[in-house]
Amino acid sequence: MNEPNTVDGCNDAPEQQKSLTLAANDRAPSAARSFTRDVLTAWGLEDLMDQAVLIVSELTTNAELHGRRAEDASSGSQGIRDEEITLTLAVQADVVAIEVEDNSPYAPVRRVPEQYGTSGRGLCLVSAMADSWTTRPTEDGTGKRVLAFISRSEPSVAS
């Protein structure tokens, strides 16, 4: 489901990849942050921890708040999967890819936050912390994936 796609003819699989599927509720961002800390520690990428945890927190919060499928009264509830968020972390060549998938097909919209507002800064923070980020629809078109990439400024040196 969360297989990395080939980019620019590169067929290399990620060196490492881990995924976590969560119920789309208010506990999802906390669980996603804990998962990210555990995975990056296991991969020896503590130097990217603050950036990654902030990005994961913002993207999973957006997915929890806005990433639900549109209500369709005519469809009923039969055959509809539960509202879920899937977080996938992958690392290759000192680049960490963060992917958050949700059930809404609508791309996130970057807003201009109000000066004293308590929301609306998430994608601004992602833009500031990530080297790049993008979004794409899921294969079946019923949801989307938001991807963010962060990298070490200097490649790690093997001892």
Side-chain angles (χ1 to χ4, degrees):
M1 180 166 131
N2 287 321
E3 301 271 329
N5 286 343
T6 303
V7 178
D8 295 333
C10 178
N11 291 320
D12 293 337
E15 292 172 2
Q16 298 189 58
Q17 178 175 316
K18 288 241 184 211
S19 293
L20 175 68
T21 299
L22 302 159
N25 60 38
D26 61 352
R27 291 177 295 218
S30 177
R33 288 189 298 269
S34 293
F35 174 78
T36 301
R37 285 185 198 99
D38 292 345
V39 169
L40 292 185
T41 298
W43 290 347
L45 295 168
E46 292 88 348
D47 54 315
L48 296 177
M49 186 85 64
D50 291 340
Q51 278 178 279
V53 168
L54 177 64
I55 292 167
V56 163
S57 185
E58 295 302 331
L59 294 181
T60 54
T61 298
N62 281 352
E64 186 262 320
L65 293 174
H66 308 292
R68 302 187 184 197
R69 74 181 61 76
E71 294 296 323
D72 183 0
S74 65
S75 70
S77 61
Q78 292 179 329
I80 293 181
R81 62 185 178 176
D82 291 334
E83 297 287 352
E84 295 179 333
I85 299 167
T86 301
L87 167 62
T88 300
L89 302 174
V91 61
Q92 183 175 17
D94 289 324
V95 176
V96 173
I98 299 165
E99 176 182 281
V100 176
E101 180 179 333
D102 63 44
N103 297 329
S104 171
Y106 303 108
V109 176
R110 193 169 163 185
R111 300 183 333 196
V112 176
E114 295 178 21
Q115 182 175 0
Y116 298 107
T118 59
S119 65
R121 291 173 179 78
L123 292 178
C124 294
L125 289 170
V126 170
S127 293
M129 298 302 289
D131 295 327
S132 64
W133 72 277
T134 189
T135 185
R136 65 181 183 193
T138 55
E139 288 79 15
D140 64 5
T142 62
K144 69 174 164 308
R145 292 181 177 143
V146 180
L147 297 103
F149 303 92
I150 57 175
S151 60
R152 288 181 161 161
S153 54
E154 294 289 324
S156 61
V157 178
S159 353

